[in-house]
């Protein structure tokens, strides 16, 4: 199997606060994890790629200081939305690859963030 | 850079009818191609993938897709639609497995 979990599944926070989202690979070691953002009725947009033990690589236009990514172990990556604002409200989805040269990404169930 | 175009943001079929979801890709190297399905408020589930082996790829839930290099297409088909197939379908392309780019998605509606 290749199961990826996310926690929490939904979160509501006040503007200006920070929110942490966890992404875990449950039955495999993930050398590479990815974070996507999806607006309602739109496609997924890659935010960043993270490799275990190294700094994340962010896509153009994604603020590194706002979206902090930590890939501390082979089974866990976290996304922290700092000083969240209503425009950060979105569906955040993570994915993971089994190996460096593996071709398939396995996706988590997503986290819906609402910033009031 | 690689990209995919999904023709038709919404496809509606009757239960039991053929499902055809279209995807055309652009890539400078032989690509990896994927179809994913997304149910409301859920993540993406892999239906099938093409990785330069057989051009006709069979996936889960009776879906299959054919890689046609001459047409740069990777259309998804299913002979007989079920109500449970109603969902959003995404085609994706990747050169390396890291740089996955998704199409805009096609919403499939199945009428009873």
């Amino acid at each position: 199997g290749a199961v990826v979990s996310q926690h929490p599944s939904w979160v509501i926070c006040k503007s200006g606060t920070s929110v942490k989202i966890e992404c875990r690979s449950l039955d495999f070691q993930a050398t590479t994890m990815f974070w996507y953002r999806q607006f309602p009725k739109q496609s997924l947009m890659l935010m960043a790629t993270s490799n275990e033990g190294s700094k994340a690589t962010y896509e153009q236009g994604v603020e590194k200081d706002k979206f902090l990514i930590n890939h501390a172990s082979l089974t866990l990556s976290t996304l922290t939305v700092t000083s969240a604002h209503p425009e950060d409200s979105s569906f955040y989805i993570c994915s993971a690859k089994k190996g460096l040269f593996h071709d398939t990404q396995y996706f988590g169930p997503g986290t819906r963030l609402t910033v009031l | 850079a690689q990209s995919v175009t999904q023709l038709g943001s919404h496809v509606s079929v009757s239960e039991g009818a053929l499902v055809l979801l279209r995807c055309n890709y652009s890539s400078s190297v032989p690509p990896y191609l994927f179809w994913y399905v997304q149910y409301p408020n859920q993540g993406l589930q892999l239906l099938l993938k093409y990785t330069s082996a057989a051009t006709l790829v069979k996936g889960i839930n009776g879906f299959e897709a054919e890689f046609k290099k001459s047409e740069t297409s990777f259309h998804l088909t299913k002979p007989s639609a079920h109500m449970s197939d109603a969902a959003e379908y995404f085609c994706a392309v990747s050169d390396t497995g890291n740089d996955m780019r998704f199409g805009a998605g096609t919403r499939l509606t199945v009428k009873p």
Side-chain angles (χ1 to χ4, degrees):
Chain A
V3 181
V4 177
S5 70
Q6 281 185 242
H7 179 79
S9 55
W10 59 270
V11 57
I12 301 173
C13 69
K14 293 182 179 180
S15 184
T17 61
S18 295
V19 174
K20 180 183 285 188
I21 302 171
E22 293 186 348
C23 176
R24 294 180 184 273
S25 56
L26 299 184
D27 52 2
F28 66 99
Q29 293 186 329
T31 54
T32 307
M33 287 185 166
F34 307 84
W35 287 95
Y36 294 85
R37 185 173 181 177
Q38 185 180 32
F39 290 105
K41 300 189 185 301
Q42 295 188 28
S43 188
L44 281 74
M45 298 299 294
L46 179 65
M47 299 176 65
T49 302
S50 72
N51 292 297
E52 185 264 340
S54 61
K55 290 184 178 180
T57 300
Y58 291 81
E59 294 296 301
Q60 191 172 5
V62 177
E63 299 177 60
K64 301 178 183 180
D65 295 332
K66 181 165 201 52
F67 299 100
L68 300 179
I69 292 172
N70 186 352
H71 193 163
S73 76
L74 286 172
T75 59
L76 174 65
S77 177
T78 59
L79 168 68
T80 302
V81 184
T82 62
S83 186
H85 291 288
E87 57 266 30
D88 299 324
S89 298
S90 189
F91 195 52
Y92 292 88
I93 305 176
C94 74
S95 70
K97 283 176 54 175
K98 288 184 176 181
L100 188 61
F101 300 107
H102 203 268
D103 50 62
T104 303
Q105 294 183 27
Y106 298 95
F107 286 80
T111 297
R112 182 158 304 282
L113 170 63
T114 301
V115 184
L116 302 177
Chain B
Q2 71 275 26
S3 65
V4 291
T5 302
Q6 290 184 242
L7 300 176
S9 59
H10 186 204
V11 171
S12 181
V13 301
S14 298
E15 191 173 19
L18 171 71
V19 175
L20 171 60
L21 305 182
R22 300 177 186 273
C23 173
N24 288 88
Y25 70 90
S26 172
S27 177
S28 58
V29 298
Y32 297 127
L33 293 161
F34 306 83
W35 275 99
Y36 286 89
V37 61
Q38 184 181 36
Y39 296 99
N41 297 309
Q42 294 186 28
L44 274 65
Q45 180 182 6
L46 179 68
L47 282 176
L48 50 80
K49 65 179 180 181
Y50 167 77
T51 57
S52 75
T55 56
L56 182 62
V57 182
K58 294 187 182 299
I60 62 172
N61 301 337
F63 285 95
E64 62 181 37
E66 185 173 8
F67 172 72
K68 291 187 177 181
K69 183 177 179 180
S70 61
E71 299 177 8
T72 60
S73 68
F74 191 57
H75 301 331
L76 181 71
T77 61
K78 181 174 181 178
S80 177
H82 294 160
M83 297 296 291
S84 59
D85 294 328
E88 189 84 18
Y89 291 81
F90 291 97
C91 180
V93 64
S94 173
D95 289 347
T96 64
N98 283 345
D99 52 347
M100 187 171 288
R101 305 297 172 184
F102 287 85
T106 297
R107 180 168 299 277
L108 176 66
T109 301
V110 182
K111 298 175 291 185

